[in-house]
Amino acid sequence: LELKDRYMPNVKFFSMYSRIDDILAKTSEDLKLLRSKGLYALHIGIESGCNTVLSARNKGVNTSQILTALSMLEHAGIGYHITLIPGLGGRTLSRPHALETAELLNKMHPLSIWCLKLKLWEDTPLYQEAQTGHFDMMSPEEILLEERLMIENLTVENCFYADTTVL
């Protein structure tokens, strides 16, 4: 915040990326200070609302922790944008990934939901799982059907929805 005040004194509002564990490491006072300095919103990649998928992908947090962190933000007056990855559960966890993610999203008040395309990077555990047959990558059509199932079960309001999964 000192750097913001020193180098960008005319910036009144800003957004930034964050992780759930970063938010949980802050106190209520820390978050309120950030808000008072102009933090308008955070962009947070939760990737899934399914604890099984979160655990399998070694995300290091569960849905209870996600809700706690987002509640902390709301209490401090900080908005948030959520990023998801359809297909992250593979064929095996597709249905719970869609339904449990919708259930989690329905407990939130995100400014936006953005779905990103799943990319398997070489030398990552997920890439290795796919190579050995332990992760069954979905086709673009299957991912769209998963996303459709999630959307059919969403009840969030006043939220922008974006998708870049298939291309």
Side-chain angles (χ1 to χ4, degrees), residues 28-69:
S28 176
E29 292 77 25
D30 291 337
L31 293 172
K32 287 177 183 174
L33 175 63
L34 286 166
R35 180 65 186 106
S36 74
K37 293 292 187 175
L39 179 59
Y40 171 77
L42 292 175
H43 298 265
I44 306 163
I46 65 167
E47 278 62 315
S48 179
C50 175
N51 281 324
T52 305
V53 172
L54 292 170
S55 177
R57 301 290 75 86
N58 298 311
K59 294 305 295 177
V61 297
N62 60 42
T63 57
S64 178
Q65 291 169 305
I66 291 169
L67 287 174
T68 297

Side-chain angles (χ1 to χ4, degrees), residues 1-158:
L1 291 178
E2 292 174 18
L3 292 175
K4 179 228 168 258
D5 290 342
R6 184 180 327 153
Y7 294 107
M8 299 182 294
N10 295 328
V11 172
K12 302 298 179 208
F13 300 101
F14 62 96
S15 295
M16 56 195 302
Y17 288 92
S18 182
R19 294 170 38 104
I20 292 296
D21 55 354
D22 292 331
I23 299 163
L24 293 172
K26 303 275 187 267
T27 66
S28 176
E29 292 77 25
D30 291 337
L31 293 172
K32 287 177 183 174
L33 175 63
L34 286 166
R35 180 65 186 106
S36 74
K37 293 292 187 175
L39 179 59
Y40 171 77
L42 292 175
H43 298 265
I44 306 163
I46 65 167
E47 278 62 315
S48 179
C50 175
N51 281 324
T52 305
V53 172
L54 292 170
S55 177
R57 301 290 75 86
N58 298 311
K59 294 305 295 177
V61 297
N62 60 42
T63 57
S64 178
Q65 291 169 305
I66 291 169
L67 287 174
T68 297
L70 299 179
S71 177
M72 291 169 63
L73 292 178
E74 289 177 10
H75 187 261
I78 299 171
Y80 51 90
H81 304 271
I82 298 298
T83 303
L84 304 172
I85 304 178
L88 189 59
R91 284 188 182 94
T92 305
L93 296 173
S94 178
R95 186 168 179 80
H97 177 47
L99 293 174
E100 292 173 31
T101 298
E103 182 181 342
L104 180 66
L105 290 168
N106 291 336
K107 296 175 183 175
M108 304 176 184
H109 306 100
L111 298 169
S112 70
I113 298 167
W114 184 21
C115 294
L116 297 175
K117 181 176 182 175
L118 175 62
K119 167 80 171 136
L120 301 185
W121 298 96
E122 288 188 40
D123 299 323
T124 64
L126 186 55
Y127 180 85
Q128 296 303 320
E129 286 180 40
Q131 294 300 306
T132 59
H134 292 99
F135 178 78
D136 197 4
M137 186 76 173
M138 298 167 65
S139 70
E141 293 82 10
E142 291 170 315
I143 290 173
L144 281 176
L145 289 172
E146 176 185 282
E147 190 175 352
R148 178 179 173 180
L149 178 61
M150 182 188 70
I151 291 169
E152 288 173 344
N153 287 277
L154 279 180
T155 60
V156 295
E157 296 180 357
N158 301 317

